Amino acid sequence: MASLTADAIVCAVRAHGEHGAILRALTREAGLVAGYVRGGRSRRLRPILIPGNLVALDLRARTEEQLGGATVELLQSRAPLLAEPLAASSIDWATSLTAATLPESQPYPALHAALSAVLDAIGVAASARQWAAALARYELLLLAELGFGLDLEQCVVTGALDDLAFVSPKSGGAVSIGAAQGYEGRLFRLPPFLRGVDASPSMTDVLDALTVTGHFLARDVLDGRNRDLLTVRERLVDRLGRAVA
């Protein structure tokens, strides 16, 4: 029998049968895993099986290919954050993106740590700007982990390492100020914090970063196949934009 016991971040829950639910959760050790939770729609388990929650997961299956049975115990609830629309939208997007894009049973320890950091930041940050910056970095990391990383360390045109201020929407490479002359309107602005240069980005920087990562997520990872998921992100970015205004 295949088995796994680990702390896990709840990423998606889908009703199955009259009383059960299929859970998809991200673990550090095994990546994204799925399991059937008996009674997952019960009054006792519904508050536990909320995306964003941290649970102690016990997963058992007869074979590696079989959907295993899962039991969960709550370790950390993020349910109170769902009362705030902006925080709720961010948790919905981050967990849904993870569940929709990561292959199962492949460890991504850096993504697990980054998603944990995003969810923690949503709970404690003094302003949306701080956790939204962490979310943009998570999206950038997810692109890289899935093989669609952006090259933001040198100019894609000249190879220059300085004055990097734009991103090419075609190549995903950085473009220097000099190389961008006359083409600025066709390029994305590159916020310095995406390169680790600025530790305290403005909200304008964060929104510019989300424009960059959103373009490549839609093109390379989601590929237009999940319109509902992209709508979740559009709603989140719109709310962040209105918060700035």
Side-chain angles (χ1 to χ4, degrees):
M1 172 181 288
S3 64
L4 172 69
T5 300
D7 294 352
I9 301 169
V10 177
C11 289
V13 181
R14 177 168 58 86
H16 186 78
E18 188 174 353
H19 302 292
I22 294 177
L23 165 71
R24 293 168 67 80
L26 185 65
T27 70
R28 178 179 176 82
E29 298 83 357
L32 190 70
V33 297
Y36 173 75
V37 182
R38 187 182 299 274
R41 299 169 65 188
S42 67
R43 185 173 300 177
R44 181 181 72 84
L45 288 178
R46 277 201 308 269
I48 298 175
L49 297 179
I50 292 176
N53 280 358
L54 181 66
V55 300
L57 172 68
D58 186 74
L59 183 64
R60 298 183 181 275
R62 294 185 182 276
T63 68
E64 295 287 348
E65 294 75 22
Q66 182 189 42
L67 180 66
T71 59
V72 294
E73 293 184 12
L74 183 64
L75 296 177
Q76 181 179 1
S77 175
R78 295 187 170 97
L81 299 174
L82 303 183
E84 202 283 304
L86 197 52
S89 294
S90 63
I91 293 173
D92 185 16
W93 162 248
T95 54
S96 297
L97 174 67
T98 302
T101 58
L102 295 191
E104 288 188 10
S105 302
Q106 294 188 26
Y108 291 94
L111 281 176
H112 180 271
L115 180 59
S116 296
V118 170
L119 294 171
D120 287 343
I122 292 171
V124 302
S127 70
R129 173 180 57 83
Q130 295 167 299
W131 60 251
L135 178 61
R137 293 189 189 99
Y138 178 70
E139 293 182 346
L140 189 68
L141 177 62
L142 185 140
L143 283 164
E145 292 285 292
L146 293 179
F148 301 102
L150 309 187
D151 182 3
L152 304 181
E153 299 306 314
Q154 65 179 17
C155 177
V156 70
V157 179
T158 66
L161 303 178
D162 300 321
D163 298 324
L164 303 178
F166 300 93
V167 179
S168 166
K170 293 183 178 180
S171 69
V175 182
S176 67
I177 294 174
Q181 286 186 0
Y183 298 94
E184 293 90 343
R186 303 180 187 180
L187 304 172
F188 295 128
R189 178 174 172 270
L190 172 57
F193 84 94
L194 281 187
R195 301 180 58 242
V197 176
D198 182 4
S200 183
S202 68
M203 198 57 164
T204 298
D205 287 337
V206 171
L207 290 171
D208 285 341
L210 290 171
T211 296
V212 173
T213 54
H215 170 78
F216 292 103
L217 284 171
R219 190 190 75 178
D220 298 329
V221 177
L222 298 173
D223 194 22
R225 291 168 296 183
N226 197 325
R227 185 66 241 174
D228 291 341
L229 187 54
L230 289 172
T231 299
V232 170
R233 190 182 192 278
E234 289 167 2
R235 187 182 308 122
L236 169 60
V237 173
D238 179 66
R239 283 174 171 160
L240 287 169
R242 282 190 276 119
V244 173

